[in-house]
């Protein structure tokens, strides 16, 4: 009986409404082939997915992936870990891709950009320079932004304060784990907050508090796979087909019907990214 109950708990639910995966990294998934990931994801009503650029090495790769699969889209940008890579050559590379009619049909945003002072794999001044210049790129070319912020609430707020009024399409602070002050600032400035498997973690009450604060009209669903696998699958590689668990947990934390979460999160994704 215990074995059958455990198996049932681990079964991925099929949700009747379609879901949009707003943030994952298909080029980083290793446990399955790309075709296998996409085929399995299709079984669970995940209608669209955005695979995210993180470095100069995968700017073209994410475009190629998006061109290969009709439901996959992509972004262009350097993660704060790679801030030390930011230079005029990389900037020109991104601009060429944004302007190339053959490449830009599926580019939806500038990202993943931002600040990460937890690991500080790039010096803070280089992270700040890359963040600000990529925000300006989004302003100049009318793209929304996908923002990563970890242990950098004050500087993230300060930088966004300078650009928020210039960004016509705003963006999302993805994988939100920051404080409630940054959450409230982002909401007030009309940014979205992205929530993933972290909300299922036992020790992530701070993230659930941020979710409780966030209006339904500002919530996006994501996995950030292959990272941050939700319960009950922690310990194995994450993938977009685990999104139903995240949607269910969001509904539980918000105390609303799952159908409402699915409907609004879908519309929020369309409103921001304009697929």
């Amino acid at each position: 009986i215990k074995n059958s109950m455990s198996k049932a708990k681990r079964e991925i639910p099929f949700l009747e409404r379609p879901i949009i995966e707003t943030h994952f990294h298909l080029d980083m998934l290793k446990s399955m082939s790309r075709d296998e990931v996409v085929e399995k994801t299709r079984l669970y009503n995940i209608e669209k997915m955005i695979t995210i650029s993180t470095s100069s090495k995968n700017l073209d790769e994410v475009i190629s992936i998006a061109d290969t699969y009709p439901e996959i889209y992509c972004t262009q940008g350097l993660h704060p870990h790679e801030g030390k890579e930011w230079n005029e050559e990389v900037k020109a590379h991104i601009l060429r891709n944004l302007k190339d009619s053959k490449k830009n049909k599926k580019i939806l945003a500038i990202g993943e950009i931002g600040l990460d002072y937890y690991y500080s794999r790039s010096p803070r001044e280089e992270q700040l320079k890359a963040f600000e210049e990529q925000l300006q790129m989004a302003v100049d070319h009318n793209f929304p932004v996908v923002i990563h912020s970890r242990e950098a609430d004050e500087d993230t707020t300060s930088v966004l304060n300078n650009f928020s009024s210039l960004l016509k399409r705003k963006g999302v602070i993805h994988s939100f784990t920051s404080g409630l002050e940054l959450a409230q600032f982002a909401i007030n400035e009309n940014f979205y907050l992205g929530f993933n498997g972290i909300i299922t973690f036992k020790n992530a009450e701070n993230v659930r508090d941020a979710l409780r604060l966030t209006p339904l009209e500002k919530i996006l669903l994501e996995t950030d796979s292959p990272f941050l696998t939700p319960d009950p699958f922690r310990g194995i590689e994450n993938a977009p087909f685990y999104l139903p668990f995240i949607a269910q947990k969001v509904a539980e934390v918000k105390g609303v019907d799952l159908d409402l979460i699915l409907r609004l999160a879908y519309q929020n994704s369309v409103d921001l990214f304009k697929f």
Side-chain angles (χ1 to χ4, degrees), residues 141-193:
H141 297 275
N142 196 28
F143 278 94
V145 289
V146 176
I147 296 170
H148 171 110
S149 181
R150 189 170 185 188
E151 302 291 335
D153 291 22
E154 186 175 338
D155 280 357
T156 298
T157 301
S158 178
V159 171
L160 290 181
N161 239 334
N162 294 330
F163 284 91
S164 182
S165 63
L166 304 175
L167 285 164
K168 294 180 181 177
R169 295 177 57 195
K170 305 297 182 175
V172 55
I173 301 182
H174 103 96
S175 189
F176 194 87
T177 57
S178 299
L180 296 183
E181 287 187 11
L182 178 56
Q184 191 62 65
F185 167 81
I187 292 163
N188 291 346
E189 292 297 315
N190 208 28
F191 286 85
Y192 294 83
L193 302 185

Side-chain angles (χ1 to χ4, degrees), residues 113-126:
I113 65 176
L115 302 171
D116 192 315
Y117 295 168
Y118 181 81
Y119 287 109
S120 291
R121 291 178 183 169
S122 287
R124 292 188 180 188
E125 61 272 17
E126 294 183 356

Side-chain angles (χ1 to χ4, degrees), residues 33-192:
S33 72
R34 292 175 185 178
D35 286 350
E36 288 172 327
V37 172
V38 173
E39 286 301 319
K40 186 168 181 178
T41 299
R42 287 171 179 162
L43 298 176
Y44 293 98
N45 213 6
I46 287 83
E47 185 182 88
K48 298 178 179 69
M49 299 176 270
I50 307 176
T51 190
I52 305 293
S53 172
T54 57
S55 75
S56 61
K57 299 175 183 65
N58 75 345
L59 292 170
D60 293 333
E61 186 174 12
V62 295
I63 295 174
S64 177
I65 291 171
D67 286 342
T68 301
Y69 303 99
E71 65 266 64
I72 295 183
Y73 297 78
C74 68
T75 65
Q76 292 284 279
L78 260 61
H79 190 285
H81 288 340
E82 312 303 330
K84 57 185 177 293
E85 285 188 5
W86 185 254
N87 56 39
E88 289 303 312
E89 182 180 350
V90 172
K91 182 177 180 180
H93 188 160
I94 293 175
L95 287 172
R96 283 195 302 272
N97 286 347
L98 296 180
K99 294 175 181 179
D100 186 334
S101 61
K102 293 181 180 179
K103 291 184 176 181
N104 67 11
K105 293 177 182 178
K106 283 193 150 186
I107 300 172
L108 299 184
I110 303 298
E112 175 177 357
I113 65 176
L115 302 171
D116 192 315
Y117 295 168
Y118 181 81
Y119 287 109
S120 291
R121 291 178 183 169
S122 287
R124 292 188 180 188
E125 61 272 17
E126 294 183 356
Q127 291 188 44
L128 284 162
K129 178 179 172 62
F131 188 24
E132 291 172 343
E133 292 195 11
Q134 289 179 99
L135 282 166
Q136 187 61 53
M137 190 181 294
V139 170
D140 293 341
H141 297 275
N142 196 28
F143 278 94
V145 289
V146 176
I147 296 170
H148 171 110
S149 181
R150 189 170 185 188
E151 302 291 335
D153 291 22
E154 186 175 338
D155 280 357
T156 298
T157 301
S158 178
V159 171
L160 290 181
N161 239 334
N162 294 330
F163 284 91
S164 182
S165 63
L166 304 175
L167 285 164
K168 294 180 181 177
R169 295 177 57 195
K170 305 297 182 175
V172 55
I173 301 182
H174 103 96
S175 189
F176 194 87
T177 57
S178 299
L180 296 183
E181 287 187 11
L182 178 56
Q184 191 62 65
F185 167 81
I187 292 163
N188 291 346
E189 292 297 315
N190 208 28
F191 286 85
Y192 294 83

Side-chain angles (χ1 to χ4, degrees), residues 223-242:
T223 63
D224 200 14
S225 53
F227 315 106
L228 307 175
T229 311
D231 281 334
F233 288 89
R234 289 193 73 178
I236 63 174
E237 186 177 74
N238 200 4
F241 43 77
Y242 294 133

Side-chain angles (χ1 to χ4, degrees), residues 1-39:
I1 294 174
K2 286 184 178 179
N3 287 341
S4 63
M5 288 176 64
S6 176
K7 185 177 179 181
K9 184 182 177 184
R10 290 172 63 88
E11 209 168 273
I12 303 171
F14 177 87
L15 305 182
E16 293 296 332
R17 282 191 180 272
I19 315 174
I20 295 177
E21 159 71 284
T22 62
H23 193 115
F24 84 123
H25 304 274
L26 184 53
D27 57 308
M28 298 183 188
L29 272 69
K30 304 300 180 187
S31 62
M32 303 171 70
S33 72
R34 292 175 185 178
D35 286 350
E36 288 172 327
V37 172
V38 173
E39 286 301 319

